[in-house]
């Protein structure tokens, strides 16, 4: 899933996974990346580019925070 260009920032006890904006066509790869990094919550900081319900069905909470 390197096309998502992920970066990890650690600020104990928090750990942040930052990625490029996924699309519906690669959302399954995005989910694999999130699960591999034990992500439970996604903060969407951009316009929607994928169906958040797909992540929610996988047990990942999605919040919207447009800056």
């Amino acid at each position: 899933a390197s096309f998502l260009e992920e970066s990890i920032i650690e600020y104990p006890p928090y750990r942040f996974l930052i990625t490029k904006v996924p699309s519906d066509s690669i959302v399954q790869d995005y989910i694999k990346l999130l699960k591999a990094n034990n992500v439970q919550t996604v903060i969407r900081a951009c316009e929607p580019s994928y169906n958040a319900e797909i992540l929610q069905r996988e047990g990942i909470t999605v919040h919207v925070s447009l800056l």
Side-chain angles (χ1 to χ4, degrees):
S2 61
F3 50 85
L4 291 171
E5 296 183 29
E6 65 271 8
S7 296
I8 295 175
I9 297 173
E10 295 190 49
Y11 187 78
Y14 304 104
R15 189 167 185 253
F16 302 91
L17 174 67
I18 301 170
T19 68
K20 280 192 159 189
V21 179
S23 63
D24 280 331
S25 64
I26 62 166
V27 75
Q28 292 303 320
D29 291 318
Y30 184 58
I31 289 169
K32 288 178 190 173
L33 175 67
L34 296 176
K35 287 185 172 188
N37 284 280
N38 299 313
V39 172
Q40 299 173 347
T41 303
V42 167
I43 308 295
R44 181 184 276 169
C46 58
E47 295 296 324
S49 62
Y50 60 92
N51 183 347
E53 290 179 15
I54 297 170
L55 272 64
Q56 292 167 341
R57 284 194 298 260
E58 295 290 331
I60 301 168
T61 304
V62 178
H63 295 281
V64 177
S65 177
L66 297 177
L67 303 173

